[in-house]
Amino acid sequence: MITDGQWRELLWRRAEDPGSIRRAYQSRKRRNSLLNGKSTLFLVAADHPARGALGVGGDPMAMADRRSLLARLLTALANPDVDGVLGTPDVIEDLLLLDGLDERVVIGSMNRGGLAGADWEIDDRFTAYDASSIATFGLDGGKMLLRLVDSDPGTIPTLEGCARAVTELAEHGLMAMVEPLPYKRDHNDKLVLQKDSAALSRASAVAAGLGSTSAYTWLKLPAPQEPEIVLDTTALPALVLGGVPSANPEDDLASWGRSLRHPTVRGLVVGRALLYPPDGDVAAAVAAAAEILRTAKGVTE
């Protein structure tokens, strides 16, 4: 919950004290490592709005209310099993001004230029954080979207931009979280995620080879139907992404759990499925995901 007083303070600082944002970056208390004491990592994601993707389920404007989104993020971050957040500068800075990110892992989202529904959607250019700003602001890494569409030349500049970002983040000793997603266009020219093992394995292999070193590269992957085949593609650490939530949260949890048992997988990065659950109970949705992670990794509370 964000009180009226907290909201007014946030709006005041945004308008009348923009320097408070840099001070908030500088004063944020960082934790010592990406992984927690259980050797896992659980992040909530909130970089969808910057790409114009505001819908969840049947509500096309679910993520358009910023106060509601921030309140949901703070609820998720209040769970001690949640390690941190992934977001674009506007979201991260709102959370900083709300004192919500001390001792949390913070991953900056980098390429949000492929606006949802645009003709150029696959050309995911870098329009948010870059490696230099992530290092300057004391964040813990950068995330990039790599949608691969063989028939769309917009894939080419995205590949090149992601490779450059992997190299630059590594120069700062920071995590490069690459999210490789293979897509095809259907007969209506709509982008459709290819979830078969061959397509996901190919995308993972391409992502793992980006940049001048893979020392700091992590993969962010959808939960595959055949986890062993896809996740055996590389030795890089991986995180399971939540993706578009289904109508049945129990199905999502079961799918994540199967992938979480693979030894290369270290945790979860989930956004809409936890922040906008069908019953509206964010705290319960986060707790259920945390339990799935603990069970899959054999961790006791």
Side-chain angles (χ1 to χ4, degrees):
M1 176 180 176
I2 298 174
T3 67
D4 289 344
Q6 288 174 313
W7 186 244
R8 285 194 297 269
E9 175 71 11
L10 173 62
L11 299 182
W12 183 89
R13 293 174 75 179
R14 278 290 195 182
E16 302 198 37
D17 188 15
S20 64
I21 292 173
R22 181 172 288 274
R23 296 194 299 273
Y25 276 121
Q26 294 171 340
S27 64
R28 183 176 77 89
K29 297 176 183 176
R30 297 180 65 181
R31 82 179 199 182
N32 295 326
S33 64
L34 285 172
L35 294 172
N36 56 37
K38 308 162 192 170
S39 293
T40 60
L41 183 62
F42 182 8
L43 303 175
V44 288
D47 60 347
H48 306 84
R51 202 175 64 77
L54 300 173
V56 182
D59 184 355
M61 295 290 285
M63 300 188 77
D65 186 322
R66 181 50 56 93
R67 182 172 175 176
S68 173
L69 172 60
L70 294 172
R72 292 165 186 268
L73 284 166
L74 291 173
T75 297
L77 288 165
N79 187 310
D81 287 314
V82 174
D83 296 292
V85 66
L86 183 162
T88 45
D90 57 327
V91 174
I92 296 302
E93 290 163 2
D94 284 343
L95 290 171
L96 282 170
L97 294 176
L98 290 165
D99 297 322
L101 296 181
D102 280 344
E103 302 291 346
R104 298 293 186 176
V105 172
V106 182
I107 305 298
S109 188
M110 303 176 76
N111 59 331
R112 298 279 83 189
L115 302 187
D119 293 341
W120 68 87
E121 185 171 349
I122 292 306
D123 189 346
D124 288 304
R125 301 203 184 192
F126 285 67
T127 57
Y129 286 111
D130 56 20
S132 176
S133 61
I134 287 170
T136 297
F137 294 145
L139 304 189
D140 301 290
K143 174 256 180 177
M144 60 211 76
L145 176 62
L146 178 61
R147 292 183 291 183
L148 303 171
V149 182
D150 289 355
S151 62
D152 194 321
T155 297
I156 300 170
T158 304
L159 270 170
E160 183 180 25
C162 288
R164 185 182 307 111
V166 168
T167 298
E168 292 173 351
L169 286 165
E171 289 172 352
H172 293 287
L174 294 169
M175 172 206 267
M177 184 190 296
V178 186
E179 180 181 1
L181 299 176
Y183 277 87
K184 284 186 178 180
R185 293 190 182 274
D186 65 14
H187 61 281
N188 293 318
D189 206 33
K190 181 181 178 181
L191 290 168
V192 179
L193 178 63
Q194 304 302 291
K195 299 180 180 180
D196 62 283
S197 297
L200 290 172
S201 294
R202 177 177 183 254
S204 298
V206 170
L210 294 176
S212 63
T213 177
S214 63
Y216 295 92
T217 303
W218 290 51
L219 300 182
K220 179 174 179 266
L221 299 169
Q225 294 179 351
E226 299 174 296
E228 294 78 13
I229 294 175
V230 175
L231 295 167
D232 282 351
T233 302
T234 174
L236 296 182
L239 297 167
V240 174
L241 65 90
V244 178
S246 71
N248 189 343
E250 287 74 20
D251 291 344
D252 293 333
L253 290 169
S255 176
W256 303 340
R258 288 191 294 271
S259 294
L260 286 168
R261 288 192 287 271
H262 193 277
T264 62
V265 177
R266 290 305 185 117
L268 285 166
V269 183
V270 187
R272 293 166 291 183
L274 300 185
L275 297 175
Y276 297 87
D279 64 1
D281 192 339
V282 176
V286 171
E291 179 60 27
I292 288 292
L293 177 56
R294 282 196 299 269
T295 300
K297 292 304 182 185
V299 175
T300 57
E301 291 191 82

